[in-house]
Amino acid sequence: QRMAESDEVINSIPMDIVRRTVRINPTSDFLHFLITVFDEEIVGRLVEEYMIGVTKAGDAVFYQIDKDGRCRTGKVMKYNRKTGHRIKYGSVKTPITWVHSLLKQQGVLPKEWELKQCLFGEHLLQKYPDKTVCLVEAEKTAIICSGFMPEYVWVAVGGKSQLGDKVEVLAGRTILAIPDVDAQESWMEKIKE
C-alpha cells in the first residue's frame, strides 16, 4: 500500500500479512524466553500490543507500525530461548532480516517499494495519549520494560545510531530518553539538535 504523508509517499505492508504472524507460538525462542520472565497473561498483552510476530523458523518479528496503523516493515531476529540474547555465531551476531525485503524477493511487494522507518511501538502513542513515553534503543528492551512498567509507553528507535527524524512523532509528549550506556553521549548530542 502507498499512502501520502504530507508530500512524501509512505509504503506499507498489508496488515493481513502482519496478523498472520502475530501469535503465541511455542516454537518462538523470544516468546519462550519472555514466558520465563513474565506470566502468560503479560506475555499475551505484550504480543498483542507490540504485534510481535513469529516466523515459521521460530524467529521474532518486530513490526514497525506507525501512528496511523500502517506497518512500515518488520525486523526479523534470532534469540536464545534461555538467555533472551540475540544469537551470535562466533563474534558475529546473526544478520537482521527485514520483512519488506523478503516480500519484495517473493514478488508480494513491487521492486520500487521503499522503506521509511518509524519507531517500534509508535502505534501505541495513539492508544495511550496521556502516558509518559520512554524512548529506548532496542525493541527487546521496549517489550521487557513494558512488561515490568506498563504505566509508560515504551518505544524503540531500533539501534543506537537510529535516533533521528523518527522521533518527531513524539512532539508534545513527555519523554524519558534511556539510551544504552555506550550511546549516552551520542544521544545527548542528537537530543540537543
Side-chain angles (χ1 to χ4, degrees), residues 14-151:
M15 287 304 288
D16 64 314
I17 292 173
V18 174
R19 284 189 202 94
R20 277 183 279 179
T21 69
V22 176
R23 59 191 182 275
I24 300 287
N25 186 328
T27 63
S28 164
D29 294 324
F30 181 68
L31 295 183
H32 181 75
F33 166 73
L34 284 182
I35 289 172
T36 67
V37 178
F38 303 109
D39 65 38
E40 285 191 41
E41 185 178 320
I42 292 173
V43 173
R45 175 183 64 82
L46 295 171
V47 167
E48 200 60 38
E49 286 208 330
Y50 285 94
M51 306 278 296
I52 303 169
V54 178
T55 68
K56 289 177 183 170
D59 300 334
V61 184
F62 300 127
Y63 289 106
Q64 291 181 10
I65 300 170
D66 68 20
K67 64 182 178 13
D68 298 317
R70 299 172 296 200
C71 180
R72 304 279 185 96
T73 191
K75 190 189 284 189
V76 181
M77 300 196 313
K78 293 183 179 298
Y79 284 90
N80 179 301
R81 67 175 31 213
K82 290 183 181 167
T83 66
H85 294 297
R86 281 212 19 230
I87 292 181
K88 295 182 181 183
Y89 293 109
S91 63
V92 179
K93 287 185 179 175
T94 56
I96 292 169
T97 307
W98 295 93
V99 171
H100 71 278
S101 296
L102 295 171
L103 293 175
K104 284 169 81 170
Q105 289 170 8
Q106 296 167 7
V108 175
L109 296 177
K111 294 207 183 304
E112 64 274 6
W113 194 100
E114 288 185 26
L115 172 63
K116 176 158 176 49
Q117 292 191 57
C118 67
L119 295 172
F120 172 75
E122 182 177 307
H123 63 289
L124 297 174
L125 298 171
Q126 301 287 76
K127 184 174 182 180
Y128 302 112
D130 300 323
K131 287 187 179 183
T132 296
V133 176
C134 292
L135 181 68
V136 296
E137 287 182 36
E139 297 87 351
K140 179 178 90 170
T141 304
I143 292 165
I144 291 172
C145 288
S146 180
F148 285 114
M149 294 173 275
E151 65 271 22

